[in-house]
Amino acid sequence: MTILTAEHIEKSYSERPLLHDVSFGVEEGEKIGIIGVNGTGKSTLLKIIAGVEEPDQGFVTKAGGIQVGYLPQNPEFPEGTTVLQQVKAGAALTQQESQEYEYKAILKKLGIDNFDAPINTLSGGQKKRVAMAG
């Protein structure tokens, strides 16, 4: 069963075409990777698939119930936010109903156990894990 289809995706920034007639499908159970040199549109394609950015042409179709998320390479957080506050805020954005203990369990599985730590004191890798948890 096809769970995601991208058809005839095109994206340009000013005069520079970045993606031209990109089409592919993802079948249930498949694991895929997108590889290429810097500046060839990998992140842009992922943003389009996740609905963060719109293509100039083409479209993405997802099977019922399929959600696609996008985690930026360098996530940004509001100033003064703690780890737990950020996870709660991120979960609210995706309309997940969870209890605080569930958020803490997710963070612990990701190797984060100081829930009251200010986000700006975390390493880059820790910030990415907090972004994934939310």
Side-chain angles (χ1 to χ4, degrees):
M1 174 180 145
T2 303
I3 59 171
L4 185 138
T5 304
E7 295 188 52
H8 308 291
I9 302 294
E10 307 240 349
K11 186 70 175 182
S12 296
Y13 292 102
S14 63
E15 304 257 335
R16 181 176 175 240
L18 190 58
L19 300 170
H20 176 67
D21 200 27
V22 175
S23 296
F24 64 92
V26 179
E27 298 293 321
E28 187 173 4
E30 281 187 321
K31 293 175 179 32
I32 64 167
I34 299 174
I35 57 174
V37 297
N38 290 345
T40 57
K42 300 179 301 290
S43 294
T44 300
L45 179 59
L46 292 172
K47 288 177 189 176
I48 290 170
I49 292 168
V52 173
E53 223 173 280
E54 291 293 321
D56 295 337
Q57 292 183 26
F59 56 92
V60 175
T61 306
K62 299 169 206 151
I66 298 295
Q67 290 183 325
V68 178
Y70 173 76
L71 177 63
Q73 192 165 358
N74 296 307
E76 294 183 18
F77 304 100
E79 189 68 32
T81 305
T82 68
V83 168
L84 191 56
Q85 287 171 334
Q86 180 57 42
V87 173
K88 286 179 179 179
L93 290 175
T94 59
Q95 300 177 5
Q96 294 177 355
E97 295 293 327
S98 295
Q99 299 295 323
E100 189 170 301
Y101 72 89
E102 292 174 313
Y103 300 136
K104 289 179 178 179
I106 292 167
L107 286 164
K108 283 184 179 185
K109 287 180 183 179
L110 293 170
I112 307 284
D113 56 8
N114 186 352
F115 312 122
D116 296 321
I119 293 281
N120 64 349
T121 64
L122 302 180
S123 71
Q126 290 171 319
K127 288 177 182 177
K128 280 188 183 181
R129 286 181 264 158
V130 169
M132 278 192 293

